[in-house]
Amino acid sequence: MQAVVDNKKTPVAAVIAVLLRGDEVLLVSRKNPPDVGLWGFPGGKMDFGETMEEAAVRELYEETGVRAHAGQVLTALNAYDKDEAGRILQHFVLLAVLCVWQSGEPVAADDAEDAGWFRLSALQDGTLELSQDVLEVAQLALRVQGVAVS
């Protein structure tokens, strides 16, 4: 089905921080819309004048207290916040930035309800309710880092 386009609204640039530690990925459970209660990567809107990498590192720290430095941009994704009738309320362009862990253990803060490290099997077995594209982005990040993905 073709989406209804509203030329008066513009997409919002946002980042997600894709942080690996060995064969684990850091995820947060959201406490605010969109995706309340779903597990996804820490992230949020970019500030004016902020680079993608700066935004990813800042959002990661604000939501989890974990320090990292930013690496390459892995991919870009569309994310939509929709109402009950399926109308698009907001359109986000998410830039997935691969980050390298420096220090800290995740503690949920800001708009994260919970935070933790998860193996790929936990993302695949259905025990976590995931935001759109989380599994695919995690698999991509692990492959880029040379971790075997099944």
Side-chain angles (χ1 to χ4, degrees):
M1 185 167 103
Q2 185 76 13
V4 175
V5 176
D6 182 345
N7 291 324
K8 293 178 178 70
K9 295 183 180 181
T10 58
V12 176
V15 294
I16 53 176
V18 182
L19 183 61
L20 303 177
R21 190 173 67 179
D23 64 348
E24 295 178 310
V25 62
L26 179 64
L27 299 179
V28 295
S29 174
R30 299 249 163 251
K31 70 178 175 185
N32 297 317
D35 290 355
V36 173
L38 299 182
W39 288 89
F41 300 102
K45 297 175 191 171
M46 293 174 60
D47 291 335
F48 185 79
E50 187 176 44
T51 68
M52 297 173 284
E53 296 84 1
E54 290 167 342
V57 168
R58 175 184 53 78
E59 285 287 345
L60 174 65
Y61 182 73
E62 287 176 2
E63 291 187 15
T64 68
V66 172
R67 295 271 185 202
H69 68 268
Q72 72 185 73
V73 174
L74 291 170
T75 190
L77 307 162
N78 288 297
Y80 301 98
D81 184 16
K82 296 180 180 181
D83 66 14
E84 294 81 25
R87 291 182 295 254
I88 298 173
L89 302 173
Q90 278 199 297
H91 174 192
F92 297 94
V93 176
L94 301 178
L95 303 160
V97 178
L98 184 60
C99 295
V100 178
W101 180 84
Q102 291 180 307
S103 65
E105 288 301 318
V107 176
D110 196 30
D111 65 345
E113 185 71 36
D114 198 0
W117 295 102
F118 297 92
R119 287 205 160 85
L120 188 60
S121 59
L123 280 63
Q124 294 171 316
D125 68 12
T127 57
L128 295 175
E129 288 189 65
L130 301 174
S131 291
Q132 180 179 330
D133 300 317
V134 169
L135 177 58
E136 293 80 6
V137 172
Q139 290 171 324
L140 173 61
L142 288 162
R143 280 195 303 273
V144 165
Q145 291 296 308
V147 178
V149 176
S150 57

